């Protein structure tokens, strides 16, 4: 409970990203924080005070001139009766008000009246983010000592437009809150970690390749979770469509051979988590030109060669990281195969999951895993991939500290 006893005043301003604030409230409370919500008028167009209040288990403050609220708390007390003010999402409009000291509604009045640290999680359309007035306001707010997380690159929820403007994910915001309110809670500070993620693409010719259905979601989430605990993380990613996680180094590769080279180049490390679905085989002598379909002739057979096993290489390396984690995606005999891999690959732990098509795990947002180690088998319930990542990162931290 990194945030036990901490009081967060959460200001929700307008924007589609407000839906993520509901999850943010849950994540903060899970870690022991109490959350007192303030909502702007625009925020209430996107999510209801009822939902916010229910998740926060608190009254929701919406009105600068509410007779009850003003008698009860008052915006001055609201602004000071907390350890941290978080604004998520922070709209362009609210930040413009902050930058200029305007105070004509409850969120802006609280922000002007507070003497507590303020963390902003901006979210807006990329064009608004890059607009000259916003750039000026962000500079002003930074100079005023406001903390900021995001915005991230990625696709916008409403328009599908890509660019910078997406609000940081709730767990990223939580990590920023933890580092502001409980800076000691970084058990992996000073540790180096290498994580592989995603599929590999093995070229057949310049336009065709062998691939698999891995999305990179689990590996990327693990890299981010390790970074949140303070590790210095190198993520080696195969071709994926998801964004690079914040707060770490991402190296992009295509083939298994390139992935191995990048992983070896990132040594030495304390932790290796090999999550990538590396293609077992590559095509021998991939064609330099597109292979043509010739009328009447049989298709050319593909000659395959085995790819290097990155996990096995790392597990037996002279500079083997202290803690090596492998994954085992199986469609049958999950435990037995996991145990065999633990041995063969020189891993400390194998995270095994059943990726049969009916599980929806491959490419999906949830995962159900078994942890296989010398100590035995531990079964985890069905969890979101980021929750699996958070738990695994805590486990790794505990193992490294001998806990
Ligand atoms: O043998 P299998 O591919 O099922 O093992 C899975 C584990 O080994 C995963 O951790 C995966 O990242 C790793 N692996 C690897 N290089 C390969 C094949 C698998 O690192 N060529």
């Amino acid at each position: 409970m990194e945030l036990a006893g901490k009081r967060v005043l959460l200001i929700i301003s307008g924007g589609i990203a407000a839906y993520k604030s509901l999850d943010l409230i849950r994540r903060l409370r899970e870690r022991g924080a109490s959350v007192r919500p303030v909502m702007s008028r625009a925020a209430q167009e996107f999510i209801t005070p009822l939902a916010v209040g229910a998740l926060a288990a608190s009254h929701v403050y919406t009105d600068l001139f509410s007779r009850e609220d003003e008698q009860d708390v008052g915006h001055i007390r609201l602004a000071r009766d907390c350890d941290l003010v978080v604004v998520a999402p922070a709209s362009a409009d609210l930040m413009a008000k902050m930058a200029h000291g305007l105070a004509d509604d409850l969120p802006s009045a609280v922000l002007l009246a507070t003497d507590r640290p303020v963390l902003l999680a901006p979210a807006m359309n990329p064009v608004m983010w890059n607009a000259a007035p916003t750039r000026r306001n962000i500079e002003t707010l930074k100079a005023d000592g406001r903390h900021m997380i995001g915005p991230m690159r990625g696709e916008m929820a409403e328009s599908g437009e890509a660019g910078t403007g997406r609000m940081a994910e709730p767990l990223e915001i939580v990590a920023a809150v933890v580092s502001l309110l409980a800076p000691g809670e970084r058990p992996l500070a000073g540790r180096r970690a290498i994580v592989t993620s995603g599929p590999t693409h093995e070229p057949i010719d310049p336009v065709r390749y062998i691939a698999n259905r891995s999305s990179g979601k689990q590996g990327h989430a693990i890299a981010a979770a390790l970074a949140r605990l303070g590790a210095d993380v190198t993520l080696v990613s195969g071709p994926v469509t998801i964004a690079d996680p914040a707060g770490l180094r991402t190296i992009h590769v295509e083939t298994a051979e390139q992935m191995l080279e990048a992983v070896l180049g990132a040594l030495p490390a304390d932790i290796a988590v090999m999550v990538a679905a590396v293609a077992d085989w590559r095509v021998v002598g991939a064609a330099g030109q597109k292979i043509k379909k010739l009328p009447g002739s049989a298709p050319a057979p593909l000659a395959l060669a085995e790819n290097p096993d990155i996990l096995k290489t790392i597990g037996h390396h002279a500079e083997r990281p202290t803690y090596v984690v492998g994954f085992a995606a199986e469609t049958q005999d999950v435990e037995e195969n996991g145990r065999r891999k633990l041995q063969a690959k020189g891993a400390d732990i194998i995270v095994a999951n059943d990726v049969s098509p009916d599980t929806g795990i491959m490419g999906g947002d949830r995962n159900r895993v078994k942890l296989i180690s010398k100590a035995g088998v531990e079964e985890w319930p069905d969890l979101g991939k980021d929750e699996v990542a958070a738990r695994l990162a805590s486990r790794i931290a505990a193992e490294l500290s001998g806990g």
Side-chain angles (χ1 to χ4, degrees), residues 196 256 274-280 307-312 325-330 341 345 350:
T196 65
M274 303 288 100
V275 197
V278 182
D280 289 317
N307 264 331
D309 189 318
I310 302 167
L311 172 58
K312 198 169 172 181
V325 183
F327 269 66
E330 302 290 346
K341 272 176 203 171
K345 306 220 181 198
I350 291 282

